[in-house]
Amino acid sequence: MAVVEDDAAPMDILRFDLSPREIPTSWYNILPDLPEEVPPPIDPRTREPVDPALLTRLFPKTLVQQEVSKERFLEIPAEVLEAYRSFARRPTPLFRARNLEKALGTPAEIYYKYEGVTPTGSHKINTALAQAYYNKLEGVERLVTETGAGQWGSALSAASSYFGLKTRVYMVRVSYMQKPYRRTLMELFGAEVYPSPSDKTSFGRSLLKEDPNHPGSLGIAISEAIEDVLGDEKAKYSLGSVLNHVLLHQTVIGLEAMKQFEEAGVSPDIMIGAVGGGSNFAGFTYPFIGERLRGSRNTRFIAVEPRASPSMTRGVYDYDFGDTAGMTPLLKMHTLGHKYRVPPIHAGGLRYHGVAPTLSILINHGIVEPRAYHQTEVFGAAHMFTKAEGIVPAPESAHAVKAAIDEALKAKESGRRVVIAFNLSGHGLLDLQGYREYLDGSLQDFEPEEIPAKTRGRS
Ligand SMILES: *Cc1c(COP(=O)(O)O)cnc(C)c1O
């Protein structure tokens, strides 16, 4: 029988959990702490700030209010907190990646917040539940949205099912064909799923007429979802990233992490997240960035994107549409242009031409450092992480893993014991096709030679 000596080395604690009672009861709103005002969304026809009445045609009033609120903390409704606890399985754990540290031989401590434990496998349920709740409260019967790889579509389908709403999802056609399992997941939750471009909208039909096998894109699917909503009084639109209210709901991640770091007795020196539209990065880092903006913290923040979709590192900062058809208001953001055709990388959730306006401002002010990687090096890092920690990262999250490993290797060179923390935004168990190609050596990198000038910025 093994006997533990009293003077044995204390066991490292590798997991930091909060009890369900410790879920934050407010979301953190970064707007009042930003170094400058977010430029308002503008109407493409008049180039004037967009009429709020147009926004309430698409979104419930509370979400439109949250979009511009200047209150630093906004209370999470009791029904949403209950859904976070009973359905989304919050709080999510913070882990120390001790095995990865050992494999790297680094003096750095590496921590990750793990959002893959939620029922649909990513952070997206955090805003899906809040959005479904506010829509239900205002008498909406049906939610319409777009999805790429299916992470957002499955989160919204699950949240709609929880709150008793119907859902229709326009799924980018290539993903609809290549990722049948997320479509199945959405349909299990009762959603109607159509490949986009579809024959349900006039925009979709016009694209199918040109090319019956059109592969689709997120921008096109957004256009179809909006056209669908504008034709049905009882329906509203739902977006899974980019907008202020979406990033706001995700801050439950960072607020939990803040308590967990206190419990661990450490404070991160470097925080890292992958960026598609910016919601998981913002959710994880904004509560900490708020402290840095208010002068009580000097953490570094690294935002990681694919080199094939380099809006933060190579885009322009200008007003641009959120969709391909040009139906949305214009947002001021780092963008590759709304007509940019993102190459077919496996991180479907990062295939978007723009990023959140608030994140764009933080990049302009040097508070967030953007960085881009190719997918082969990203899958290589994810492979190392899987062998060390046992979890297969989503291809999107794997971008953050790669940056965390690079920072840990720099710490090894300099001999500094830095604390690195990243957000593992989801698991990759429904994305094994990308790992298959990585193992077969058939994974391709895409380097856009030049971001064509005509696709940039305002149209
Ligand atoms: C959608 C998604 C992302 C990218 O979207 P953000 O809004 O930038 O967070 C990242 N990771 C996972 C797992 C996703 O599903």
Side-chain angles (χ1 to χ4, degrees):
M1 187 161 89
V3 177
V4 179
E5 301 285 338
D6 275 354
D7 59 355
M11 216 192 290
D12 275 335
I13 297 174
L14 303 178
R15 173 175 181 137
F16 304 91
D17 282 308
L18 299 176
S19 92
R21 284 170 212 281
E22 293 172 287
I23 296 189
T25 54
S26 299
W27 292 299
Y28 166 67
N29 175 20
I30 201 166
L31 294 189
D33 290 327
L34 280 181
E36 65 180 81
E37 293 261 322
V38 181
I42 60 176
D43 187 319
R45 284 156 307 180
T46 62
R47 302 207 67 92
E48 293 292 325
V50 73
D51 179 357
L54 179 70
L55 292 179
T56 49
R57 180 61 196 84
L58 294 179
F59 302 105
K61 281 189 207 71
T62 318
L63 294 178
V64 174
Q65 284 160 3
Q66 289 182 349
E67 195 60 23
V68 295
S69 168
K70 287 294 166 63
E71 298 221 19
R72 188 173 281 143
F73 288 97
L74 295 170
E75 198 178 318
I76 305 177
E79 292 84 347
V80 175
L81 272 182
E82 179 53 28
Y84 279 176
R85 267 195 285 262
S86 70
F87 194 71
R89 316 293 141 141
R90 302 208 72 82
T92 61
L94 176 78
F95 290 111
R96 176 150 173 213
R98 194 81 174 87
N99 301 327
L100 180 64
E101 291 167 16
K102 281 194 187 145
L104 293 166
T106 178
E109 288 183 24
I110 306 173
Y111 294 82
Y112 57 98
K113 178 81 167 151
Y114 186 40
E115 291 294 300
V117 297
T118 68
T120 50
S122 83
H123 65 290
K124 292 207 170 75
I125 195 82
N126 301 327
T127 186
L129 286 167
Q131 294 191 37
Y133 169 74
Y134 290 121
N135 275 287
K136 181 76 183 178
L137 205 62
E138 290 186 22
V140 174
E141 290 178 6
R142 191 168 69 95
L143 288 179
V144 187
T145 196
E146 70 292 329
T147 199
Q151 291 275 25
W152 168 240
S154 43
L156 192 70
S157 303
S160 293
S161 149
Y162 178 89
F163 282 111
L165 291 157
K166 290 188 203 144
T167 320
R168 181 175 290 178
V169 182
Y170 290 89
M171 183 172 191
V172 176
R173 184 177 290 268
V174 277
S175 304
Y176 183 91
M177 309 306 249
Q178 285 169 1
K179 311 217 173 197
Y181 300 119
R182 287 231 174 74
R183 176 186 155 204
T184 304
L185 188 55
M186 290 185 259
E187 289 178 353
L188 277 176
F189 284 116
E192 294 174 296
V193 186
Y194 299 120
S196 165
S198 75
D199 59 6
K200 301 283 163 202
T201 67
S202 63
F203 184 56
R205 285 189 294 272
S206 74
L207 294 174
L208 286 176
K209 214 161 123 196
E210 282 168 26
D211 178 0
N213 298 312
H214 198 299
S217 75
L218 264 183
I220 291 168
I222 296 176
S223 303
E224 287 206 279
I226 292 179
E227 187 184 323
D228 184 319
V229 167
L230 294 178
D232 176 1
E233 286 286 310
K234 297 267 167 64
K236 290 220 189 279
Y237 173 64
S238 197
L239 191 63
S241 189
V242 180
L243 297 179
N244 299 339
H245 68 264
V246 180
L247 275 55
L248 170 82
H249 302 151
Q250 292 295 352
T251 59
V252 66
I253 303 172
L255 292 164
E256 283 178 9
M258 212 169 239
K259 294 188 190 182
Q260 288 162 312
F261 281 118
E262 260 169 50
E263 194 192 311
V266 296
S267 172
D269 298 302
I270 303 174
M271 294 183 79
I272 299 167
V275 171
S279 77
N280 87 86
F281 174 83
F284 183 53
T285 61
Y286 276 13
F288 295 81
I289 290 180
E291 291 192 347
R292 173 159 158 195
L293 291 169
R294 300 195 300 276
S296 60
R297 172 182 290 282
N298 52 16
T299 311
R300 280 177 61 203
F301 302 95
I302 301 173
V304 192
E305 67 184 4
R307 288 211 10 202
S309 182
S311 50
M312 297 186 294
T313 52
R314 294 178 64 189
V316 288
Y317 181 56
D318 202 351
Y319 271 110
D320 195 9
F321 290 105
D323 68 326
T324 302
M327 297 173 75
T328 68
L330 299 170
L331 296 174
K332 188 121 185 222
M333 59 185 176
H334 284 271
T335 175
L336 298 163
H338 63 284
K339 298 238 164 83
Y340 178 68
R341 280 175 158 250
V342 184
I345 50 169
H346 283 281
L350 308 186
R351 295 183 65 226
Y352 186 64
H353 63 272
V355 288
T358 53
L359 179 54
S360 299
I361 289 176
L362 293 166
I363 291 168
N364 293 345
H365 284 259
I367 292 155
V368 170
E369 306 165 34
R371 183 181 290 185
Y373 290 116
H374 276 308
Q375 68 173 353
T376 46
E377 53 186 348
V378 162
F379 273 91
H383 186 198
M384 180 177 197
F385 181 84
T386 300
K387 284 192 289 180
E389 296 291 317
I391 296 173
V392 181
E396 291 85 2
S397 323
H399 287 72
V401 174
K402 167 67 177 153
I405 289 178
D406 278 5
E407 290 304 311
L409 291 174
K410 279 186 208 161
K412 183 177 177 177
E413 252 168 55
S414 67
R416 287 183 57 229
R417 207 178 137 267
V418 293
V419 176
I420 299 165
F422 69 92
N423 193 30
L424 191 61
S425 50
H427 70 68
L429 290 175
L430 291 180
D431 307 279
L432 292 180
Q433 185 56 32
Y435 284 92
R436 181 72 260 156
E437 289 177 23
Y438 161 78
L439 289 174
D440 292 345
S442 60
L443 205 58
Q444 256 190 69
D445 283 334
F446 303 90
E447 179 84 60
E449 290 275 302
E450 197 182 324
I451 311 298
K454 67 173 166 26
T455 72
R456 283 186 164 200
R458 62 185 70 177
S459 72

